Amino acid sequence: RVLLGRDISAGGMRVDPNPGLSVGGHLRLALHGLDRSEPFVVDARVERDDGESGLVLRFGALDDASVRVLTRLLDHLPAIEARAGGPNDEATVVISEILERQSA
């Protein structure tokens, strides 16, 4: 039920390969950030399966207020060393929780 998101933007994020997710599936996710007591909840669709590189999730339509909240959350996310890179290769990550899942 927990996904580690990376390459996150206001449009979506990439997650590690997950046998429980498939292209076309819909998710409701709670994105947890350091500066918020309540998670940011967003709908997403599995857009693409890039094999070992993971799955691409596209966020559903967001209103202006939601984009501002998500942008603030992104500004405070931690960076960790990228898996395939060296110590100077960092990626921003977000911990997300799957609240609901619908298969394609």
Side-chain angles (χ1 to χ4, degrees):
R1 292 190 55 103
V2 174
L3 298 172
L4 186 62
R6 50 192 160 80
D7 300 335
I8 185 169
S9 71
M13 67 182 181
R14 180 181 301 277
V15 297
D16 288 337
N18 185 313
L21 302 178
S22 60
V23 173
H26 292 270
L27 305 168
R28 177 160 281 211
L29 300 171
L31 306 179
H32 297 275
L34 297 176
D35 66 335
R36 293 181 50 88
S37 59
E38 295 293 320
F40 178 75
V41 177
V42 64
D43 292 319
R45 181 178 187 274
V46 181
E47 285 289 318
R48 195 171 72 229
D49 184 343
D50 290 340
E52 290 183 17
S53 294
L55 301 160
V56 174
L57 306 182
R58 170 94 38 217
F59 296 150
L62 300 174
D63 60 25
D64 290 341
S66 295
V67 170
R68 285 191 296 275
V69 171
L70 181 57
T71 300
R72 280 197 310 270
L73 182 137
L74 296 177
D75 288 342
H76 293 92
L77 292 176
I80 62 167
E81 185 176 320
R83 291 182 305 170
N88 295 325
D89 294 333
E90 292 187 338
T92 302
V93 297
V94 63
I95 296 172
S96 60
E97 174 186 4
I98 299 173
L99 301 176
E100 295 176 32
R101 179 186 342 206
Q102 292 179 337
S103 299

